[in-house]
Amino acid sequence: MELFKSMDTSGEAGQNENENNLKPVADQEVEKVQCLIIGSGPAGYTAAIYAARANLNPVLYEGLQPGGQLTTTTEVENYPGYPEGVTGPVMMEDLKKQAERFGTDIRWGIATSVDFSGENHIVVIDKKKMIEAEAVIIATGATAKYLGLEAEKKYAGGGVSACATCDGFFYKGKDVAVVGGGDTAAEEALYLAGIVRKVYLIIRKDYMRASKVMVERVENTKNIEVLYEHNTKDLYGENGVEGAILLHKMGTPEEKEVRIEISGFFLAIGHTPNSEIFKDYIETDEVGYIKTDAPGSKTTVKGVFACGDVMDSTYRQAVTAAGSGCKAAIDVERYLGEKHS
Ligand code: NDP
């Protein structure tokens, strides 16, 4: 019987049967913990701070990208409590220290599979270590989608961003582009239009997928120019992004190269919630966002809670993620309190 669903994060073949097919071995030592937190963004660390202060002895696994998405941004100016702003990595380090200060056991490792079918929950770390937790908080976040251009890596943090709310302010008075035709792209373009001089909205189809009201707002905003049927071929610039090379009507006889001069290039082509390994047990929406009993953090499995971007497709801000991490820890405290009463 296969107990666990696996996620191959390493790409490496396992060394023995237990690593390969994730079947538990009878004599394998299982570590028992009260509260296990998976993920180390603002949601995970905040959950850890609250859980540790509630004497729940939380163990937190940092995951694939310790510190989460904020470690890839530069300046964070919209998180309350930092009047001068703070860099993403410093803020995450501060949150980590705060979680450690109250006794959170923070560990390096990736949750690779789970079994949420029992009273307690099994989480396998790095395909070998097994943890049995009374309560699990999922704070694995979401990953912004990129086009896959080399230039996106080259200009990461230097003109390429996947968060207009985080980085838009740095382009005050400049020209920028947003890629995508959904509600996120429309929102990002409208937000940026209030800050920058001009926004090009690059859409690969001849229509926008966004809701009608958003399309109308975009079309009625003077400093947004919608470029339908355009794909991005490349970005260029000596010191950061200076422009983009687009293809109009790509792959047709009328294909034409178009250049736009921009300082910022914003991706808004969707996010992927990091919920893959939980999906066989926990209900998600069609995109993969974990469903919770809003305004609470309970998932469809007793004793499993979710917070942050893995369950929030709407706000996706550090401060909202932190808030939901707090809720998850309080929900765990109440759950364990009732269980042991
Ligand atoms: P969507 O999946 O709705 O839209 C993604 C957009 O990116 C589409 O226009 C898609 O093009 C485009 N795209 C995808 N891949 C590429 C690519 N490789 N090159 C160029 N373009 C690409 O994602 P969103 O993040 O916009 O929205 C996700 C969900 O969240 C939706 O249900 C949305 O309604 C909701 N949402 C609601 C908001 C609100 O109500 N205020 C705000 C934000 C999001 P194509 O259309 O051609 O596939």
Side-chain angles (χ1 to χ4, degrees):
M1 180 179 68
E2 188 177 290
L3 265 182
F4 304 120
K5 290 290 150 194
S6 69
M7 177 171 79
D8 188 354
T9 48
S10 69
E12 292 164 12
Q15 300 297 305
N16 56 39
E17 194 199 43
N18 190 35
E19 279 186 353
N20 267 335
N21 62 16
L22 306 175
K23 281 179 189 160
V25 180
D27 61 359
Q28 179 167 353
E29 202 181 312
V30 178
E31 182 185 354
K32 296 195 176 191
V33 307
Q34 234 181 327
C35 173
L36 178 68
I37 300 169
I38 312 171
S40 58
Y45 283 141
T46 306
I49 293 164
Y50 274 77
R53 288 172 53 81
N55 282 338
L56 301 179
N57 307 312
V59 171
L60 180 150
Y61 276 92
E62 290 186 316
L64 210 51
Q65 189 180 8
Q69 286 185 78
L70 271 183
T71 54
T72 63
T73 65
T74 47
E75 206 70 26
V76 180
E77 293 182 333
N78 55 6
Y79 197 93
Y82 290 102
E84 306 303 326
V86 61
T87 67
V90 167
M91 191 174 115
M92 296 322 298
E93 204 45 46
D94 283 349
L95 279 170
K96 182 177 179 176
K97 280 187 206 148
Q98 197 174 350
E100 275 171 335
R101 182 180 152 210
F102 297 109
T104 307
D105 182 349
I106 297 178
R107 303 176 185 176
W108 200 90
I110 298 160
T112 44
S113 62
V114 299
D115 178 2
F116 289 164
S117 62
E119 170 71 16
N120 286 343
H121 302 301
I122 305 288
V123 175
V124 180
I125 304 296
D126 296 330
K127 297 187 180 179
K128 43 185 182 231
K129 181 173 175 59
M130 287 171 67
I131 308 255
E132 181 182 331
E134 282 192 75
V136 176
I137 295 178
I138 301 171
T140 45
T143 308
K145 290 186 194 161
Y146 285 79
L147 296 171
L149 302 173
E150 269 307 307
E152 289 171 318
K153 288 184 203 146
K154 180 175 169 190
Y155 297 114
V160 171
S161 166
C163 180
T165 325
C166 318
D167 298 327
F169 187 74
F170 304 114
Y171 299 92
K172 204 170 179 175
K174 297 181 177 167
D175 293 350
V176 302
V178 175
V179 188
D183 280 319
T184 302
E187 270 194 352
E188 305 267 89
L190 288 164
Y191 176 81
L192 287 165
I195 300 169
V196 306
R197 189 171 62 176
K198 178 172 183 171
V199 181
Y200 294 97
L201 184 55
I202 304 167
I203 297 172
R204 63 181 173 182
K205 291 196 176 130
D206 62 356
Y207 65 89
M208 276 183 83
R209 180 203 288 221
S211 50
K212 201 162 170 272
V213 59
M214 295 301 275
V215 176
E216 276 172 11
R217 269 187 219 157
V218 165
E219 285 175 349
N220 292 331
T221 303
K222 282 201 176 73
N223 61 341
I224 300 180
E225 182 178 339
V226 184
L227 300 173
Y228 288 109
E229 292 183 88
H230 281 76
N231 279 273
T232 310
K233 185 180 165 193
D234 207 356
L235 304 171
Y236 60 87
E238 294 292 322
N239 298 306
V241 172
E242 289 169 13
I245 304 167
L246 312 179
L247 291 177
H248 185 221
K249 299 205 171 192
M250 189 174 78
T252 72
E254 298 123 88
E255 182 176 296
K256 200 174 91 187
E257 204 171 276
V258 179
R259 281 174 184 246
I260 53 171
E261 287 183 11
I262 48 165
S263 312
F265 184 77
F266 289 84
L267 280 309
I269 60 171
H271 282 74
T272 309
N274 301 319
S275 61
E276 197 54 40
I277 60 167
F278 312 110
K279 273 186 180 164
D280 282 354
Y281 298 96
I282 279 181
E283 221 177 290
T284 66
D285 68 10
E286 63 284 356
V287 181
Y289 287 96
I290 294 176
K291 288 188 180 173
T292 56
D293 70 331
S297 66
K298 284 182 195 162
T299 69
T300 45
V301 175
K302 219 169 110 187
V304 180
F305 304 80
C307 53
D309 286 10
V310 73
M311 47 68 72
D312 173 16
S313 63
T314 310
Y315 299 105
R316 298 195 293 245
Q317 299 301 299
V319 66
T320 52
S324 72
C326 156
K327 286 189 199 176
I330 291 175
D331 288 342
V332 167
E333 191 188 349
R334 290 180 184 160
Y335 167 74
L336 293 176
E338 278 168 27
K339 195 175 162 198
H340 294 295
S341 65

